[in-house]
């Protein structure tokens, strides 16, 4: 779709609100890093290998994560942790072994043909979408692969699930990188493995953040898929046709992390857990909202209203998360969206301050009141009365699929 056509798109006015069952399935969207001052990348730096690109590093770029693997081994030692439900993990393992999407990610000639038709600013937007998505999936692959390796002796069942999830993430990353080849580009994933900085998260924070990442990925993918199915005139690139089955991988991963948290009730059943749960919900929701509002052209290019899409995804993710987190944000309170929109305005001012021609000292002085205003909005959103939720006692939690 040409850039001029983007002004003619008609944003959709409503989304399907059906909710997956507790065993059913969010881009990444992505692994989440909290920030508010970056802008989308527009310049590529050369990679170590000719013909490949390296995504520009910004504070909103998907991160690579590492954790305390020794603590992970202790958490999943069945002799130490009596809360581990081995039958539940066995059932999950069988579902992952089935590998429903083994033959799903098969490309065809539509990809290159569609990419050649995307020109102008919209082409760069799609490249960035593929870059960021590929990086996010690859970061999941690295983390899950290492967890699978480290837990092999302590808990072979959980270790194998992590290994199978790394299989899924590698498949997604490879598929997205193939998409970049349609635009005559490719990410050097081997170089990324060595060159990128890794962010350390304690195991419980890995659980919170990754659960939210997988579930919000489900809701992003399925919402885009349903919208484009109803509005095929915006199907400008065939990768979106794969989102229906793709999002089931995200959902299964999220369900596994839900089971992991159930096996660690200390992460769910006290006042500190409620505070952390709200913090990670806010971090993920705000990061997505700010990120996407910097990239409205992408969503407009596929016929979506960015803020409407994001609020739908946030609300549905929050409802899903309320099944396991001890407390969630009251995102359906209109005041929450008003705070998000105010953060977007402040973030835009921060970006403008950074892009100005002032000397660094003046730029920093201009940023100070803006950063304070953003922090104030974040704190106010965090302190809004939460929704008490969650339970570690589910009547039924058996593998099911939504197709």
């Amino acid at each position: 779709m040409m850039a001029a056509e983007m002004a003619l798109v008609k944003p959709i006015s409503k989304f399907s609100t059906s909710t997956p069952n507790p065993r059913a399935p969010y881009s990444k969207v992505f692994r989440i890093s909290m920030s508010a001052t970056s802008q989308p990348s527009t310049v590529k730096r050369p990679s170590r290998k000719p013909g490949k690109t390296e995504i520009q590093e910004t504070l909103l770029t998907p991160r690579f994560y590492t954790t305390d693997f020794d603590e992970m081994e202790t958490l999943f030692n069945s002799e130490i942790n009596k809360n581990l439900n081995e039958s539940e993990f066995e059932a999950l393992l069988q579902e992952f072994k089935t590998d429903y999407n083994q033959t799903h990610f098969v490309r065809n000639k539509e990809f290159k043909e569609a990419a050649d038709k995307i020109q102008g600013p919209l082409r760069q937007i799609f490249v960035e979408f593929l870059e960021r998505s590929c990086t996010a999936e690859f970061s999941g692959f690295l983390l899950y692969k290492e967890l699978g390796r480290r837990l092999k002796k302590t808990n072979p069942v959980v270790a194998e699930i992590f290994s199978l999830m790394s299989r899924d993430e590698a498949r997604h990353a490879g598929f997205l990188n193939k998409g970049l080849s349609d635009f005559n580009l490719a990410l050097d994933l081997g170089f990324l493995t060595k060159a990128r900085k890794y962010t350390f998260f304690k195991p419980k924070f890995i659980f919170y953040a990754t659960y939210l990442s997988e579930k919000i990925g489900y809701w992003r993918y399925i919402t885009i898929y349903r919208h484009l199915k109803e509005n095929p005139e915006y199907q400008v690139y065939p990768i979106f046709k794969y989102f229906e089955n793709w999002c089931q991988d995200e959902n299964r991963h999220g369900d596994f992390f839900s089971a992991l948290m159930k096996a660690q009730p200390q992460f769910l059943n006290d006042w500190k857990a409620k505070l952390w749960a709200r913090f990670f919900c806010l971090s993920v929701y705000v990061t997505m909202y700010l990120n996407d509002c910097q990239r409205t052209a992408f969503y407009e290019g596929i016929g979506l209203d960015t803020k409407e899409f994001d609020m739908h995804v946030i609300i549905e993710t929050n409802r899903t998360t309320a099944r396991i987190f001890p407390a969630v944000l009251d995102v359906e309170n209109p005041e929450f969206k008003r705070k998000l929109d105010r953060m977007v305005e402040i973030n835009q001012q921060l970006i403008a301050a950074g892009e100005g021609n002032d000397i660094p000292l003046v730029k920093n002085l201009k940023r100070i009141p803006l950063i304070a205003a953003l922090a104030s909005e974040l704190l106010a959103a965090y302190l809004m009365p939460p929704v008490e939720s969650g339970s570690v006692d589910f009547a039924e939690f058996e593998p099911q699929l939504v197709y």
Side-chain angles (χ1 to χ4, degrees):
M1 182 182 297
M2 299 299 291
E5 296 177 68
M6 288 163 52
L8 304 177
V9 300
K10 297 178 181 179
I12 62 176
S13 60
K14 56 186 177 180
F15 302 100
S16 169
T17 57
S18 59
T19 312
N21 56 51
R23 282 290 307 132
Y26 147 209
S27 274
K28 270 157 158 221
V29 123
F30 33 87
R31 316 298 161 208
I32 307 297
S33 175
M34 185 60 190
S35 176
T37 60
S38 294
Q39 59 183 338
S41 73
T42 56
V43 180
K44 296 200 175 53
R45 298 177 301 179
S47 176
R48 296 290 179 84
K49 294 184 179 180
K52 296 193 175 184
T53 66
E54 179 189 352
I55 192 168
Q56 181 178 346
E57 188 77 30
T58 72
L59 290 175
L60 284 174
T61 301
R63 297 296 185 224
F64 285 11
Y65 293 104
T66 187
T67 189
D68 185 336
F69 294 105
D70 291 333
E71 183 181 346
M72 280 286 193
E73 291 179 16
T74 300
L75 292 174
F76 295 109
N77 187 324
S78 57
E79 295 181 2
I80 299 174
N81 185 357
K82 302 301 181 183
N83 294 305
L84 293 171
N85 187 337
E86 297 297 339
S87 62
E88 182 176 358
F89 288 120
E90 285 284 358
L92 284 163
L93 175 58
Q94 292 309 311
E95 186 176 350
F96 278 101
K97 282 184 173 180
T98 302
D99 195 7
Y100 298 96
N101 286 333
Q102 183 177 12
T103 59
H104 178 61
F105 296 94
V106 178
R107 288 164 48 86
N108 54 48
K109 64 179 183 179
E110 286 184 58
F111 282 81
K112 182 60 177 173
E113 292 172 356
D116 290 341
K117 294 178 183 177
I118 301 174
Q119 298 298 328
L122 189 60
R123 185 176 179 89
Q124 175 57 36
I125 292 167
F126 265 83
V127 167
E128 184 188 345
F129 161 73
L130 292 169
E131 284 180 334
R132 294 174 61 84
S133 299
C134 181
T135 303
E137 297 284 357
F138 190 65
S139 88
F141 158 73
L142 293 174
L143 177 64
Y144 296 160
K145 180 182 178 182
E146 185 62 15
L147 283 167
R149 186 182 71 83
R150 293 292 296 265
L151 295 174
K152 191 173 293 184
K153 293 182 179 179
T154 304
N155 194 317
V157 173
V158 170
E160 188 171 1
I161 293 175
F162 273 119
S163 295
L164 293 174
M165 290 202 306
S166 74
R167 170 205 67 195
D168 296 341
E169 301 288 283
R171 185 180 288 158
H172 300 164
F175 193 66
L176 287 158
N177 213 13
K178 282 287 187 181
L180 279 169
S181 70
D182 298 325
F183 296 85
N184 303 315
L185 298 166
L187 281 178
D188 187 344
L189 298 178
F191 176 65
L192 279 180
T193 305
K194 300 175 182 178
R196 291 292 291 275
K197 295 180 179 179
Y198 287 72
T199 301
F200 177 86
F201 266 13
K202 293 177 65 175
K204 69 176 179 180
F205 299 152
I206 289 285
F207 293 165
Y208 296 144
T210 309
Y211 171 84
L212 280 164
S213 175
E214 298 288 3
K215 288 300 184 180
I216 209 168
Y218 165 77
W219 281 110
R220 288 174 66 87
Y221 283 13
I222 196 61
T223 301
I224 291 173
Y225 173 81
R226 289 169 178 167
H227 160 63
L228 292 177
K229 188 175 182 180
E230 295 177 1
N231 302 274
E233 67 271 24
Y234 295 116
Q235 187 73 257
V236 295
Y237 188 62
I239 199 168
F240 303 117
K241 296 178 182 178
Y242 292 73
F243 276 12
E244 184 181 29
N245 285 24
W246 190 332
C247 73
Q248 303 297 334
D249 284 343
E250 310 295 326
N251 189 52
R252 277 185 286 271
H253 296 182
D255 288 342
F256 173 59
F257 276 96
S258 180
L260 294 184
M261 286 187 284
K262 283 173 55 185
Q264 313 294 337
Q266 71 273 21
F267 296 161
L268 299 172
N269 62 6
D270 62 13
W271 64 270
K272 289 185 290 185
K274 291 183 178 182
L275 294 178
W276 281 119
R278 289 160 56 194
F279 171 80
F280 277 96
C281 284
L282 183 64
S283 298
V284 170
Y285 301 160
V286 170
T287 300
M288 182 185 76
Y289 204 80
L290 296 182
N291 241 326
D292 288 353
C293 285
Q294 293 179 44
R295 297 167 176 82
T296 55
F298 172 78
Y299 298 97
E300 291 172 355
I302 57 175
L304 286 166
D305 179 280
T306 307
K307 292 183 176 180
E308 187 177 346
F309 166 71
D310 272 20
M311 283 310 301
H312 170 76
V313 169
I314 288 171
I315 288 170
E316 294 299 338
T317 302
N318 206 58
R319 291 174 179 174
T320 302
T321 301
R323 298 171 183 170
I324 185 67
F325 277 25
V328 294
L329 303 175
D330 186 7
V331 300
E332 297 181 58
N333 183 334
E335 182 60 27
F336 183 78
K337 184 179 185 300
R338 282 194 286 270
K339 293 185 184 305
L340 288 179
D341 289 337
R342 176 60 180 149
M343 291 180 212
V344 170
E345 294 174 5
I346 298 170
N347 189 48
Q348 290 171 343
Q349 294 174 44
L350 277 168
I351 293 172
E355 292 177 341
N357 296 322
D358 299 312
I359 62 174
L361 176 61
V362 174
K363 287 184 179 181
N364 289 333
L365 290 174
K366 287 183 176 180
R367 287 192 185 108
I368 291 173
L370 295 172
I371 293 172
L374 182 61
S376 177
E377 291 293 339
L378 284 166
L379 181 61
Y382 181 77
L383 293 177
M384 287 178 63
V387 176
E388 299 291 327
S389 60
S391 172
V392 294
D393 299 316
F394 290 91
E396 293 184 5
F397 197 80
E398 299 174 355
Q400 298 177 25
L401 291 173
V402 175
Y403 280 100

